Amino acid sequence: MSAVPTPPPTAALSTEAASPSAAGGRASKSSFGAESTMSLLVESLKDRLLFAVPKKGRLMEKTLELLAGADIKYNRAHRLDVALVQNHPIALVFLPAADIPRFVALGSVALGITGQDVIAESTHAEQITELLPLGFGKCSLQVQVPVTGPIQTLEGLSGGRIATSFEVLAAELFNGKEGVDAKTGKKTKVEYVGGSVEAACALGMADGIVDLVESGDTMRAAGLHAIHTLMKSEAVLITSRTPHPTVTPDLAPLIPLIKSRFAGFLASKKYVYASYNIKRESLPKAMKITPGRRAATVSPLDEEGWVAVSAMIEKKEVAKVMDDLEKSGAEDILIFALDNCRVGV
């Protein structure tokens, strides 16, 4: 792999002014200025792989933790939306999560992290390959109505008013490709609301809403409940199905490397390493308790009729697994935390 290049003077660009959210526009509608800025970045950072990551919001904190776990080291200057990675020829580009699918689909950046809901809303899903589910940012995009309201079905909302920040997906659900509900022949009015969507019904702006639900606390506090789920979503690592020419043979190996490191770090957070000794005659029962992520490792002990077993088990199941192993006759049961690992993807 080539050496990390010296940062060019134009690398320290900010997309703050060019991003739609900074300009007060909708995050899902990227401005020409943002695209022009991105073109300049691509031109000035040809020797680096451009990796778009969320600059704020619900995905940013977990993404930064993931980058640290993958040993991607960088310094980000205050208010600058480009950070040069110190130990790899990579440049991180901090963008609104809603803009990332567009830039990845166009090949302006090689990799990105964003939510599946954002990809679906962007209309660029067919141009994007999901490389790895990341296990955070999990939520559901749901149709919600007032609990005590007269409308409690999708059919009841047909021809009514829907408030949402997911205009594309909501319009597809209610009006389809023909622009009207196929069952009722009515056109449902889908109106964009950028924030506090859950208040739209109480304010008389809408008969129902389409919004993301994580814990459901906000929905219930607003007196709403879900009547339909459009999709479930989580953060994903994505790339374009048509790689940009700037992804040179020297840079291309970075993509599977990053994917492998992410998968390993995520596995280390999900699993622990279990080790125990057990009589061979009791091994079949123990194998059902600790089958391992792929398979358990079994080694003979010096003592006749005994074996040592090691396997990865889910962290959330540790106490129960240890109890069940003890009941099956296992001894010397040890649990080891994993700082990191590689699992093969």
Side-chain angles (χ1 to χ4, degrees):
M1 189 174 295
S2 62
V4 178
T6 302
T10 53
L13 294 176
S14 171
T15 58
E16 189 80 33
S19 72
S21 59
R26 301 179 190 176
S28 60
K29 307 295 189 289
S30 301
S31 67
F32 175 77
E35 293 178 23
S36 299
T37 300
M38 191 58 62
S39 297
L40 289 173
L41 285 174
V42 172
E43 185 64 28
S44 63
L45 298 176
K46 284 184 177 178
D47 293 330
R48 288 180 179 265
L49 188 84
L50 297 188
F51 187 175
V53 295
K55 65 182 293 183
K56 58 184 177 181
R58 60 191 177 92
L59 301 183
M60 180 180 178
E61 183 178 345
K62 289 292 186 180
T63 296
L64 298 185
E65 180 183 336
L66 188 58
L67 292 172
D71 194 35
I72 295 176
K73 300 176 180 178
Y74 64 94
N75 287 321
R76 182 187 180 192
H78 180 60
R79 293 187 64 81
L80 293 183
D81 287 342
V82 175
L84 302 181
V85 174
Q86 300 162 356
N87 54 339
H88 293 288
I90 299 170
L92 301 178
V93 184
F94 292 83
L95 294 170
D99 287 343
I100 291 175
R102 178 177 178 83
F103 288 124
V104 171
L106 295 176
S108 299
V109 295
L111 289 174
I113 291 177
T114 193
Q116 291 170 315
D117 56 302
V118 174
I119 297 170
E121 176 67 13
S122 74
T123 71
H124 290 292
E126 293 184 357
Q127 300 165 272
I128 288 172
T129 296
E130 294 185 8
L131 295 176
L132 185 71
L134 301 177
F136 59 84
K138 291 186 176 181
C139 56
S140 298
L141 185 62
Q142 297 181 324
V143 180
Q144 304 164 35
V145 296
V147 175
T148 58
I151 300 174
Q152 296 296 318
T153 64
L154 285 179
E155 290 76 14
L157 285 172
S158 179
R161 301 166 300 161
I162 301 296
T164 184
S165 57
F166 291 86
E167 293 173 284
V168 173
L169 294 175
E172 286 179 358
L173 174 67
F174 287 101
N175 296 326
K177 295 181 179 179
E178 303 301 323
V180 295
D181 190 310
K183 293 182 179 179
T184 66
K186 298 178 181 178
K187 181 177 179 62
T188 302
K189 183 179 180 182
V190 177
E191 186 170 347
Y192 179 86
V193 177
S196 300
V197 180
E198 67 279 353
C201 293
L203 295 174
M205 295 173 56
D207 302 305
I209 68 171
V210 174
D211 200 15
L212 291 175
V213 176
E214 294 183 60
S215 67
D217 291 343
T218 302
M219 174 180 66
R220 288 186 288 271
L224 304 173
H225 71 139
I227 60 171
H228 179 74
T229 298
L230 282 77
M231 66 177 296
K232 292 186 179 296
S233 175
E234 66 178 292
V236 285
L237 177 68
I238 60 174
T239 191
S240 173
R241 293 187 179 180
T242 307
H244 195 274
T246 57
V247 182
T248 63
D250 285 339
L251 295 178
L254 287 169
I255 295 177
L257 175 69
I258 291 170
K259 178 183 176 182
S260 174
R261 288 190 178 188
F262 281 2
F265 179 70
L266 292 170
S268 74
K269 297 302 177 185
K270 182 178 180 180
Y271 294 94
V272 293
Y273 188 76
S275 174
Y276 58 91
N277 299 328
I278 194 167
K279 289 183 178 180
R280 185 173 290 277
E281 63 191 41
S282 301
L283 186 59
K285 185 185 297 184
M287 287 294 92
K288 292 180 180 179
I289 302 170
T290 59
R293 185 178 177 274
R294 185 177 300 278
T297 300
V298 180
S299 306
L301 292 179
D302 286 342
E303 186 172 346
E304 184 71 24
W306 283 77
V307 294
V309 180
S310 57
M312 292 174 69
I313 63 174
E314 288 198 39
K315 189 179 295 186
K316 64 182 181 181
E317 300 291 339
V318 166
K320 185 178 186 306
V321 166
M322 294 180 74
D323 292 340
D324 291 345
L325 284 174
E326 189 174 36
K327 291 176 184 176
S328 70
E331 299 180 4
D332 307 320
I333 305 168
L334 304 176
I335 301 294
F336 301 93
L338 300 175
D339 287 333
N340 214 323
C341 64
R342 293 292 182 271
V343 292
V345 289

